[in-house]
Amino acid sequence: MEKILLAHGGGGVLTDNLIKEEILNKLGNSLLSPLEDSAVFSIGNKRLAFTTDSFVVKPLFFPGGDIGKISVCGTVNDLAVSGANPRYLSLALIIEEGFPMESLKKIIGSIEETAREAGVLVITGDTKVVEKGSGDEIFINTAGIGVTEYNHTLTLSGAKEGDKIIINGYIADHGISVMLQRSGIAVELPVESDVAPLNGLVKDILNSSNHIRCFKDPTRGGVAGALNEIAIASSLGIVIYEKDIPVRKEVKSACDLLGFEPLTVANEGKIITICADNEAEHVLSVMKDHKYGRDSVIIGEVVNKHKGRVVIKTSIGGSRILERPYGENLPRIC
Amino acid sequence: MEKILLAHGGGGVLTDNLIKEEILNKLGNSLLSPLEDSAVFSIGNKRLAFTTDSFVVKPLFFPGGDIGKISVCGTVNDLAVSGANPRYLSLALIIEEGFPMESLKKIIGSIEETAREAGVLVITGDTKVVEKGSGDEIFINTAGIGVTEYNHTLTLSGAKEGDKIIINGYIADHGISVMLQRSGIAVELPVESDVAPLNGLVKDILNSSNHIRCFKDPTRGGVAGALNEIAIASSLGIVIYEKDIPVRKEVKSACDLLGFEPLTVANEGKIITICADNEAEHVLSVMKDHKYGRDSVIIGEVVNKHKGRVVIKTSIGGSRILERPYGENLPRIC
């Protein structure tokens, strides 16, 4: 009998297959089926975005953040990359019996602080408790509503030949921070999660150019997963340059040690921007002025070959296909 | 060190204290703090309602429904009782490794069927998988967006002296159905959950009268919990008549056997309507014309004494205070 595997939750090909075969074939509709980060629809005279995410990250507290911060940022960022201003969140807790009240207080404090920074309000919620052994400390779901206030049509299928690919800084920090914390491996330089609300940065980017094609937050599946989604949706190819991809030395070392490719490791404060070639330098300079964009770089471009594929040009002059991760390399990373 | 108890999830006084002390004191705002079933707010020229619920019901399948059906109905009903037409749902799954794909198919099928009946679309979703032993089969969160298309101001504080209290049929079916299934107790007459989407019934009620004060769905905490919330919010008293409260014979027997008070047992297809005295009979007749309202009855009224309290007049002529449940009498009932 077929069973759910951990790999079905990895954000890779297996997750995709599960969603397409078991969920979209029954529940699919024009808003759900494109599987964008948020569903965007009109109510009255407004365009709204709606998204949801459950968070099962383990451990709950890690350098640079905790499950509370990530629960706000994950949903805020999914709204932001759809071009919406995040406004309202729901907050639903599934708590395991015996969970320390002190930890709950810390998590709620972190939610409050992050929601304040992002300018969103938690306006509805739910609390369930399950018996000891039936959960794992705490799981959090947030859903979010945003209002789209721009005329940009942002869609993963909107990438065009020649467009530049920009990322707002160092990759793989979140995944490696959580994995190091979980493994107990002692490292010389601590790695902090990049978890951050990116709606302010996205707003600046949208104000800077009328030729932003789309955004994508490279969470589960990492930059490799995100770029493959864009290549497939736009039926074009993507080329990126290894030498331009920002990876901290300590993250690179940890990846070598743990056997991970940094491009497939989850980020929680990164955004990939696809924009027209002739505006890329301007967009880049605007991004560098934002506190979550100081280390922004152009890492590649959209090309009219390798359709539906991502090619990485290596530092030693070679090139290889950057595959979409298949299953779960980092369980419970968000 | 203080820890979370199962009772913190029971929907009673302990849940209330947890939410007020740990959540509202940090995250509170004018939309969240009233703790109504949905938050209602304006965007552009529309009034919207937003709500969320996580579902951890055990077992997943029970007579009359399953976790999929309840995941749709719970959120649809929370929107409906706020006077909104439910439109869009999010769907977030937390699945335990090893969960049978066949069960997932059945649950998604049930979600599809119930969403179709309720006239809502699932437009955004998320799937996470946790290791075997870190969850319990499947937990589901839905959040929902509805549009309020009525001029009624529905609020739990809106009850007035003399108002009638109507319920749309037999109470405690859901909780008892689940508990019997879980306990393995063999009973002569099977008890089916009442789980149903009530937005159609609510629409008919709102169209029938301009003097509907509020609705409340008596889920966790049962009718006792719901009526106490209304009494407290309106600073009035509520009197109900034991002889008028519809409880099926087999449910009454099971309650006696298991030691439960039917008025504190969860319902998933019931709605309490508070309406002006002089329109109550008309509203009742409209409710009886709806398939989920055939057994509707008036069970009591709002009085200007016993402030903040619910009094039950017993069949033998006595009366007693009907307390709000304190903690968890039926864990994982929804």
Side-chain angles (χ1 to χ4, degrees), chain B residues 18-244:
Chain B
L18 176 72
I19 290 170
K20 287 187 178 139
E21 286 161 25
E22 303 304 336
I23 298 180
L24 291 191
N25 78 342
K26 292 219 183 87
L27 301 178
N29 57 63
S30 64
L31 290 167
L32 180 65
S33 301
L35 296 177
E36 303 257 354
D37 290 290
S38 305
V40 178
F41 56 92
S42 296
I43 283 192
N45 57 353
K46 289 285 184 187
R47 304 249 327 135
L48 303 185
F50 185 34
T51 191
T52 188
D53 251 320
S54 291
F55 299 88
V56 299
V57 63
K58 186 178 184 167
L60 300 179
F61 302 92
F62 44 82
D66 60 34
I67 192 171
K69 184 169 187 182
I70 210 174
S71 295
V72 174
C73 293
T75 290
V76 160
N77 294 348
D78 275 346
L79 292 171
V81 297
S82 299
N85 278 333
R87 292 273 287 273
Y88 298 121
L89 296 188
S90 65
L91 174 67
L93 312 175
I94 299 177
I95 312 176
E96 187 188 9
E97 184 186 12
F99 188 64
M101 198 68 85
E102 209 46 46
S103 301
L104 183 64
K105 279 185 213 289
K106 275 174 71 179
I107 291 167
I108 299 295
S110 172
I111 289 172
E112 189 274 325
E113 200 178 298
T114 315
R116 186 150 33 82
E117 181 186 351
V120 294
L121 287 179
V122 173
I123 63 169
T124 186
D126 180 54
T127 304
K128 294 287 192 307
V129 181
V130 296
E131 313 89 318
K132 187 123 193 112
S134 290
D136 192 5
E137 299 195 302
I138 188 167
F139 299 144
I140 300 183
N141 176 281
T142 55
I145 297 177
V147 181
T148 69
E149 285 166 11
Y150 300 94
N151 294 323
H152 296 72
T153 302
L154 299 169
T155 162
L156 297 186
S157 61
K160 291 189 173 41
E161 186 183 353
D163 286 352
K164 286 288 186 279
I165 297 158
I166 313 176
I167 193 157
N168 61 317
Y170 293 94
I171 69 166
D173 291 359
H174 174 72
I176 293 305
S177 160
V178 171
M179 285 309 288
L180 286 175
Q181 178 83 355
R182 205 187 294 174
S183 67
I185 296 171
V187 285
E188 214 168 332
L189 283 170
V191 175
E192 285 210 347
S193 168
D194 62 343
V195 57
L198 299 176
N199 49 325
L201 176 62
V202 166
K203 195 172 179 178
D204 287 357
I205 297 172
L206 287 173
N207 282 330
S208 76
S209 164
N210 286 315
H211 296 92
I212 304 299
R213 316 296 192 193
C214 64
F215 298 110
K216 180 83 195 162
D217 50 340
T219 55
R220 279 184 296 178
V223 171
L227 292 180
N228 269 283
E229 276 191 57
I230 296 167
I232 292 166
S234 63
S235 300
L236 288 167
I238 285 177
V239 173
I240 58 172
Y241 301 91
E242 192 174 35
K243 68 172 174 42
D244 297 328

Side-chain angles (χ1 to χ4, degrees), chain A residues 211-223:
Chain A
H211 296 91
I212 303 300
R213 316 296 193 192
C214 64
F215 298 108
K216 180 81 195 163
D217 50 340
T219 54
R220 280 184 296 177
V223 171

Side-chain angles (χ1 to χ4, degrees), chain A residues 153-203:
Chain A
T153 301
L154 299 169
T155 163
L156 298 186
S157 61
K160 291 188 173 43
E161 185 183 353
D163 286 352
K164 287 288 187 279
I165 298 158
I166 312 177
I167 193 157
N168 61 317
Y170 293 94
I171 69 166
D173 291 358
H174 174 71
I176 293 305
S177 159
V178 171
M179 286 309 288
L180 285 175
Q181 178 84 353
R182 205 187 293 173
S183 67
I185 295 172
V187 285
E188 213 169 332
L189 282 171
V191 175
E192 286 211 347
S193 168
D194 61 343
V195 57
L198 299 176
N199 49 324
L201 176 62
V202 165
K203 195 171 178 179

